[in-house]
Amino acid sequence: MEQILAIAIFVVMFTLIISEKIERHIVTLGCGIGTILFVFIISMHSMTAVMETLNIRNIFTLGFWYETGTVTEATKGINWATIIFLMGMMIMVEGMARAGFFRWLCLTIAKMVQYKVVPIFLTFMIMSFVLAMFIDSITVILFLAAVTAELSGLLDFNPVPFILSEIFCANLGGSATMCGDPPNIIIGTSLHYSFADFISNTGVMAFVCLGFVIFYFYFAFRKELVAGKNVRYIPKEKLSPASAITSKADFIKSSIIFFFAVTLLVTHAQTGLSVAFIGIVIAALTLLASGEDAGKVIKKVDFKTILFFIGLFVVVGGLEETGVLETIADLIGKISGGNLVVMIAIILWVSAGFSAVVDNIPFAATMLPVIKTLAAAGGVNLPVLAWTLAVGTDIGGSATPIGASANVVGMAIAEKEGYKVTWGRYCRTAIPATVLVIGISMMMIYLRYV
């Protein structure tokens, strides 16, 4: 009975998220409360399941803040390390935005290529990829698409090809590192993988695919990459990189904090500092540097996304506690016959397919316990399945306008500027690009790990 209830709540959650009629954080929180009440308390009569899913006591252990080097079993329920790290990065990014860092970077690169359309197209794709390796892809697209739209008005070009390619490259760049995309944060914190682990595995695949993606989007949009005849005079004072900086002191502080954060993330396997500890440190430094504006920075944090994660982890915890995820793992194991080649193909393409039509965050959170069970039962190398899951969810979300949050943000900015992008327009270029990257990644996984 408890399995049926857990599945029903999960299906309701997914359906409501896809419908977008109710804000997704309200959906996951409501379904999370339903899981605790109906599944754990009424059906299972288990307060132990409630406590394991809420997972609060884990925060008060030394291993949560400082990794001793001994890999422990990933805890069930709410992944507080992911929550705390995300909050820390959100605060840091908001501090950088207030200082004008992102707009300054975009305008600096545009000026370097002398505001020429094709070079802007190519360099903005690369910039989107690189920024998304360290900063949430939503933030990357929010600022990059806005500056692209501004430049399109002055240079008289269609910003849609730019924004579509930037979205895809942001999602691809996010797949390269542990902090680049929420699914990777979930996988990394749960399985105790480091920044170096991701960059040397999913990162290699992402960099190889980037070259193919740049050529693909260039040839897909080459006829549209021209400036119009009504090019406006570009006022130097308006598009000067220096004009983007709201405060030189804040700009310097935010830049130092950003590079310090990157250093901590790159070296956290050597220092033993957990991503939760790094998130707290980065947030504290940003708030201290913000001074009197610290309150404004905190108010800008996307707390709805944080609440979304908390509710999601509880619902997935219900599936885990009732044994539903073990059943799914057994099914995949039977279909694959324990064959790693078939198992990789199933996880990769199913992950990509599902992530194209539903948010990739809940899917990654759902599949993580499944691959753990598969690895334990079939004697399969868990990291291989983890990299497969990461690539599938990260890249699959690029295929449709609703597959990842960055897609939704990019489309909203384009529409705000008067360029409404239909599903057909989006999918005609995004789906082939997604299939291309997934196909290349699968070949690289087979060549390297099988």
Side-chain angles (χ1 to χ4, degrees), residues 379-403:
V380 179
N381 192 352
L382 178 57
V384 176
L385 299 185
W387 310 139
T388 303
L389 176 63
V391 171
T393 52
D394 293 339
I395 305 305
S398 301
T400 66
I402 62 170

Side-chain angles (χ1 to χ4, degrees), residues 107-127:
L107 294 180
T108 297
I109 291 179
K111 183 179 180 180
M112 285 174 61
V113 297
Q114 300 178 335
Y115 305 103
K116 294 181 179 178
V117 176
V118 173
I120 289 175
F121 178 77
L122 298 176
T123 53
F124 273 33
M125 274 196 289
I126 296 172
M127 178 166 58

Side-chain angles (χ1 to χ4, degrees), residues 14 33 50 74 103 130 167-168 237 242 260 262 264 276 335 347 357 362 403 446:
F14 252 116
I33 293 171
V50 175
R103 195 167 186 275
V130 174
I167 288 171
F168 195 94
E237 66 278 2
F260 181 58
V262 172
L264 289 179
I335 294 174
I347 293 173
V357 294
Y446 285 154

Side-chain angles (χ1 to χ4, degrees), residues 143-164:
F143 290 95
L144 192 53
V147 175
T148 298
E150 181 180 352
L151 287 173
S152 73
L154 293 165
L155 301 178
D156 194 21
F157 62 77
N158 183 357
V160 173
F162 292 73
I163 294 174
L164 292 179

Side-chain angles (χ1 to χ4, degrees), residues 49-105:
V50 175
M51 297 307 296
E52 286 187 354
T53 301
L54 294 180
N55 197 26
I56 295 174
R57 62 184 178 186
N58 189 45
I59 299 175
F60 301 98
T61 62
L62 176 63
F64 183 83
W65 304 102
Y66 179 77
E67 298 171 0
T68 59
T70 303
V71 176
T72 57
E73 180 67 18
T75 55
K76 297 178 181 180
I78 301 175
N79 188 328
W80 289 108
T82 296
I83 301 296
I84 293 172
F85 177 69
L86 272 177
M87 285 189 66
M89 295 301 285
M90 285 178 179
I91 290 173
M92 180 194 74
V93 166
E94 181 55 34
M96 295 171 69
R98 287 178 63 82
F101 179 88
F102 299 109
R103 195 167 186 275
W104 168 83
L105 183 61

Side-chain angles (χ1 to χ4, degrees), residues 232-281:
R232 303 177 192 175
Y233 168 71
I234 303 177
K236 293 182 179 179
E237 66 278 2
K238 185 175 181 180
L239 287 183
S240 168
S243 67
I245 301 174
T246 57
S247 167
K248 288 186 178 180
D250 289 341
F251 181 85
I252 294 171
K253 291 176 186 176
S254 62
S255 299
I256 292 173
I257 292 172
F258 172 65
F259 288 113
F260 181 58
V262 172
T263 302
L264 289 179
L265 287 168
V266 171
T267 61
H268 86 93
Q270 290 72 38
T271 62
L273 301 177
S274 71
V275 292
F277 182 85
I278 293 172
I280 287 289
V281 170

Side-chain angles (χ1 to χ4, degrees), residues 12 14 66 70 98 103 129 195 209 219 225 231 265 290 299 320 329 351 356 359 402 445:
V12 168
F14 252 116
Y66 179 77
T70 303
R98 287 178 63 82
R103 195 167 186 275
F129 177 93
F195 186 95
C209 291
F219 283 105
L225 302 179
V231 178
L265 287 168
S290 300
K299 287 182 180 179
E320 191 170 7
S351 297
D359 197 298
I402 62 170
I445 290 171

